[in-house]
């Protein structure tokens, strides 16, 4: 379909024909197979859980009498503790770097992002090795105090898990609140100061009420990550929904119990997604009413001497707890060569790293290609289905890995039972195909967010100019969009690569035999109490996690 645009002239200029995207193409029926690939795990969990019969009722009744109350109580307590902790750390850190000025403030801004590079389960291994009964901390205290027995409380419980998740997840809240305070609060704080309000009153009556939607969005993201966590809860032996799903499927071989638990977890995460999206809408509304900070030339109070030192020290506490201390704890046995054969460990490390790199590259390429397909279709072939598919794909990251595993295995098991001779289970379980499918479901959203961010910076006038020169929709995508999307595509590739390397539950359940990755190897070594050997693959994961932190830090500096 095309439209004719008449250009005012002296009568000698012919009408210019502008080729616009055909709206009937925008229906996007050809994208339905993509939707099936991405949504099949979620749909299969819902259908299987709603298939109610006497056996299902018996299983639910049994879980209500045994494990389900513990799962609900522990998960709620963990979410309450982590939500409260990340709220305090995230909001407090954001206030320290935006509402005051002091020497070292800009350095502290990016240092506060470092815990994003630390997977929570890696931090759990480090703290457990250092603080356990035979660890260096308690050994040193016993020698110092000439005492016997346990000197420190056990960290492997709900409170320890809440502490570790808090110090590794608070940057979600910090980033959103920091952005809100920089965009809106500083000039209002200055106005309040001119009216005679003291510092604490300005913070609690002006700044904090303005950032409530951002706090709600950040805490919702934190709670999603908390519910999806498997490494910490499984290693600490905590009875959460995520650990219960894996236990029911892998250990107890109870498919129906795993399905019911997966549905409960999926409903909880869906509620958090809804809350996060409502908070995001309020963020956009709040930001649209705000004014640009740089245009107003706002000033914040400058701190000197002990006040600046105290403020900088307070800001460093979450960095020390969430990144520096765990890294030092893992480096100690490696540098000292304590308790392991270094040559054997390095010989094992290289295959683990190679497997992780292979899966990371494959998953990143497939997820980014799919994100380009969905993002490009939504741009050049606008329609309800193309936009809807892009929106549905963006929800995948919120789905816990264990739910994706159950959702993939349920239809495969049903087909295998229907046609035993097809050997369908061999196509998905213990194969690279199954792992990559799970990666696509969960991490396409990461690449899609980067691609959509790139499209937001490409004006539609460039699309129109290309169509005036005779390009069709796919020509615009190939000749105009792809060259301009190189940066966002590269960022999406790196982000998915790192997420794939850190992914634990899906990789552990679906991987082929004798194909251990860094994440799986670190988990298995820590589970076997070989914490010293787990330090090397854990540090490699932290090093890989620094990549998105560096990209995010550079992005924040550009926005200054």
């Amino acid at each position: 379909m095309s439209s004719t645009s008449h250009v005012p002239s002296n009568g000698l200029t012919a009408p210019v024909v502008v080729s616009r995207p055909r709206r009937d193409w925008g229906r996007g029926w050809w994208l339905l197979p993509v939707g099936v690939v991405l949504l099949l795990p979620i749909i299969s969990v819902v259908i299987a859980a709603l298939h109610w019969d006497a056996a299902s009722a018996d299983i639910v009744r049994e879980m209500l009498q045994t494990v389900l109350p513990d799962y609900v109580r522990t998960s709620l307590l963990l979410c309450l503790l982590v939500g409260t902790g990340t709220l305090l750390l995230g909001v407090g850190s954001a206030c320290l770097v935006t509402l005051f000025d002091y020497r070292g403030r800009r350095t502290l801004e990016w240092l506060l992002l470092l815990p994003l590079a630390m997977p929570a389960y890696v931090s759990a291994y480090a703290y457990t090795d250092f603080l356990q009964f035979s660890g260096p901390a308690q050994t040193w205290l016993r020698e110092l105090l000439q005492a016997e027995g346990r000197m420190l409380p056990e960290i492997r419980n709900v409170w320890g898990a809440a502490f570790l998740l808090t110090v590794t997840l608070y940057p979600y809240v910090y980033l959103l609140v920091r952005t809100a305070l920089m965009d809106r609060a500083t000039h209002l704080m200055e106005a309040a100061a001119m009216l005679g309000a003291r510092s604490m009153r300005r913070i609690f009556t002006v700044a904090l009420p303005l950032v409530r939607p951002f706090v709600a969005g950040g805490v919702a993201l934190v709670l999603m990550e908390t519910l999806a966590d498997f490494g910490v809860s499984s290693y600490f032996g905590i009875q959460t929904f995520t650990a219960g799903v894996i236990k029911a499927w892998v250990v107890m071989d109870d498919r129906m119990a795993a399905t019911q638990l997966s549905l409960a977890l999926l409903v909880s995460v869906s509620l958090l997604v809804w809350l996060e999206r409502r908070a995001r809408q309020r963020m956009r509304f709040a930001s649209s009413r705000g004014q640009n900070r740089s245009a107003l030339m706002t000033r914040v109070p400058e701190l000197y001497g002990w006040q600046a030192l105290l403020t900088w020290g307070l800001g460093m506490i979450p960095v020390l707890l969430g990144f520096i201390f765990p890294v030092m704890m893992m480096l100690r046995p490696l540098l000292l060569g304590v308790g392991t054969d270094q040559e054997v460990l390095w010989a094992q490390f290289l295959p683990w790293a190679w497997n992780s790199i292979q899966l990371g590259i494959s998953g990143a390429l497939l997820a980014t290609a799919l994100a380009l397909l969905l993002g490009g279709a939504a741009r050049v072939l606008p329609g309800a289905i193309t936009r809807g598919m892009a929106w549905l794909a963006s929800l995948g990251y919120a789905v816990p890995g264990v739910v994706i595993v159950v959702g993939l295995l349920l239809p495969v098991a049903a087909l295998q039972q229907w046609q035993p001779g097809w050997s369908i289970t061999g196509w998905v379980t213990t194969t690279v195909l199954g792992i990559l499918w799970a990666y696509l479901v969960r991490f396409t959203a990461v690449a899609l967010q980067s691609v959509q961010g790139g499209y937001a910076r490409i004006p539609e006038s460039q699309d129109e100019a290309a169509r005036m020169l005779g390009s069709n929709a796919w020509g615009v995508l190939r000749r105009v969009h792809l060259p301009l999307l190189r940066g966002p595509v590269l960022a999406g590739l790196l982000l998915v690569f790192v997420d794939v390397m850190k992914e634990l539950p899906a990789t552990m359940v679906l991987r082929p035999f004798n194909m251990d990755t860094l994440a799986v190897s670190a988990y298995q070594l820590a589970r076997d109490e070989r914490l010293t050997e787990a330090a090397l693959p854990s540090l490699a994961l932290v090093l890989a996690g620094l990549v998105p932190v560096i990209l995010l830090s550079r992005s924040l500096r550009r926005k200054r």
Side-chain angles (χ1 to χ4, degrees):
M1 185 178 180
S2 62
S3 62
T4 304
S5 175
H6 294 275
V7 179
S9 63
N10 57 2
L12 299 178
T13 303
V16 177
V17 178
V18 180
S19 176
R20 298 188 183 276
R22 293 178 56 182
R23 294 285 174 178
D24 54 340
W25 291 4
R27 294 174 183 174
W29 296 110
W30 52 275
L31 280 177
L32 288 181
V34 177
V36 171
V37 169
L38 296 179
L39 297 179
L40 180 61
I42 302 174
I43 295 173
S44 62
V45 168
V46 175
I47 292 176
L50 295 179
H51 181 67
W52 196 261
D53 53 19
S56 302
D58 292 339
I59 290 173
V60 172
R61 190 179 304 110
E62 184 179 353
M63 287 194 299
L64 284 172
Q65 296 174 355
T66 55
V67 296
L68 195 56
D70 287 339
Y71 291 158
V72 173
R73 184 167 50 250
T74 305
S75 298
L76 287 177
L77 177 60
L78 190 61
C79 287
L80 177 63
L81 294 175
V82 175
T84 304
T86 53
L87 186 149
L88 295 175
L89 281 184
V91 175
S93 302
C95 290
L96 291 178
V97 298
T98 54
L99 303 184
F100 305 98
D101 193 14
Y102 46 90
R103 188 172 183 178
R105 179 181 63 85
R106 293 189 176 182
T107 302
L108 184 60
E109 278 184 335
W110 67 264
L111 285 176
L112 285 165
L113 299 174
L114 288 178
L116 281 176
M118 179 68 65
Y121 58 85
V122 170
S123 186
Y125 308 154
Y127 272 97
T128 301
D129 183 39
F130 191 76
L131 299 177
Q132 64 183 344
F133 181 83
S134 59
Q138 295 204 46
T139 301
W140 178 77
L141 286 175
R142 282 193 293 268
E143 293 176 354
L144 178 66
L145 302 176
Q146 296 296 314
E148 296 182 357
R150 176 174 291 278
M151 305 299 297
L152 296 173
E154 177 62 59
I155 193 174
R156 286 195 273 197
N157 50 40
V158 176
W159 298 91
F163 165 73
L164 294 174
L165 290 170
T166 296
V167 296
T168 53
L169 296 179
Y170 80 86
Y172 286 100
V173 181
Y174 161 73
L175 279 171
L176 293 178
V177 175
R178 172 191 172 276
T179 302
L181 290 174
M182 291 187 66
D183 289 344
R184 302 197 61 225
T186 49
H187 62 280
L188 295 179
M189 291 276 289
E190 183 179 0
M194 294 175 63
L195 294 175
R198 296 182 179 273
S199 296
M200 297 305 295
R201 185 180 179 186
R202 295 199 302 268
I203 292 175
F204 285 99
T205 61
V206 178
L208 295 184
L210 290 173
V211 299
R212 280 180 295 187
F214 299 83
V215 173
V219 172
L221 291 173
V222 167
L223 295 182
M224 278 188 255
E225 292 289 341
T226 302
L227 288 175
D229 172 73
F230 169 75
V232 176
S233 57
S234 176
Y235 179 59
F236 280 7
I238 300 173
Q239 301 298 314
T240 61
F241 275 106
T242 308
V245 171
I246 293 293
K247 185 186 298 183
W249 187 282
V250 177
V251 179
M252 302 171 58
D253 196 22
D254 192 336
R255 187 180 309 167
M256 184 55 65
T259 302
Q260 299 294 340
L261 292 174
S262 297
L263 180 63
L265 186 58
L266 187 60
V267 170
S268 303
V269 172
S270 300
L271 177 62
L272 290 173
V273 170
W274 178 75
L275 292 174
E276 189 270 338
R277 290 191 177 274
R278 284 203 62 184
R280 189 182 301 179
Q281 292 174 354
R282 295 179 65 189
M283 290 181 210
R284 288 197 294 265
F285 176 69
S287 298
S288 65
R289 295 186 305 169
Q291 302 182 40
N292 189 289
R293 181 189 181 196
S294 60
L296 291 169
M297 298 298 292
T298 59
R299 292 178 289 108
V300 294
E302 295 187 12
L303 304 178
Y304 300 96
W306 69 269
Q307 292 181 327
L309 185 61
L310 177 61
T311 304
W312 201 86
L314 289 174
M316 281 298 296
I317 290 176
V319 181
L320 291 170
L321 296 175
F323 184 81
I324 296 177
F325 284 169
V327 170
M328 294 174 61
M329 294 171 188
M330 290 184 290
L331 281 175
R332 184 192 64 86
L334 288 179
L335 296 178
L336 298 177
V338 177
T340 184
D341 189 335
Q342 297 291 324
E343 294 184 2
V344 174
L345 182 59
W346 280 99
Q348 295 173 331
F349 171 79
L350 294 178
W352 300 337
W354 176 238
N355 291 335
S356 297
I357 291 172
Q358 283 181 303
L359 290 176
I361 292 175
S362 302
L365 289 175
L366 289 174
T368 306
L370 194 56
L372 275 173
L373 177 65
L374 293 170
R379 174 67 177 257
V380 302
L381 303 174
I385 290 184
T386 54
R387 289 193 296 267
M389 286 296 175
W391 181 78
L392 290 173
S394 67
L395 299 179
Y397 191 71
V399 181
V402 292
V403 176
I404 294 174
V405 170
V406 173
L408 287 178
L409 295 180
L410 280 173
V412 171
L415 288 174
Q416 181 67 33
Q417 187 176 6
W418 177 52
Q419 291 290 340
W422 287 3
S423 300
I424 298 177
T425 54
W427 300 354
V428 177
T429 59
T430 66
T431 64
V432 175
L433 175 62
I435 301 179
L436 293 179
W437 192 352
Y439 291 162
L440 284 179
V441 174
R442 189 151 205 268
F443 299 128
T444 297
V446 178
L448 182 60
Q449 186 176 14
S450 181
V451 170
Q452 288 177 331
Y455 267 120
R457 294 192 292 269
I458 301 177
E460 293 190 5
S461 59
Q462 297 192 12
D463 299 15
E464 297 293 340
R467 294 189 186 102
M468 289 175 62
L469 296 175
S471 293
N472 57 17
W474 298 113
V476 173
L477 179 63
R478 187 180 69 255
R479 299 173 183 173
V480 178
H481 295 170
L482 287 181
L484 296 175
L485 290 174
R486 288 177 183 173
V489 167
L490 179 59
L493 282 168
L494 289 174
L495 291 173
V496 175
F497 175 80
V498 173
D499 280 336
V500 166
M501 291 190 68
K502 295 191 295 185
E503 170 61 29
L504 179 57
T507 308
M508 186 177 66
V509 176
L510 299 174
R511 76 189 191 282
F513 295 113
N514 297 323
M515 188 177 181
D516 292 335
T517 63
L518 292 171
V520 173
S521 301
Y523 173 78
Q524 291 178 334
L525 291 171
R527 185 185 57 187
D528 295 338
E529 297 301 329
R530 298 159 63 186
L531 293 169
T532 301
E533 297 175 55
L536 182 59
S538 299
L539 282 172
L541 291 173
V542 175
L543 186 62
L546 287 174
V547 173
V549 173
I550 294 172
L551 292 176
L552 186 57
S553 177
R554 293 181 61 187
S555 174
L556 293 177
R557 285 199 298 268
R558 285 196 298 267
K559 292 179 181 179
R560 190 179 299 279

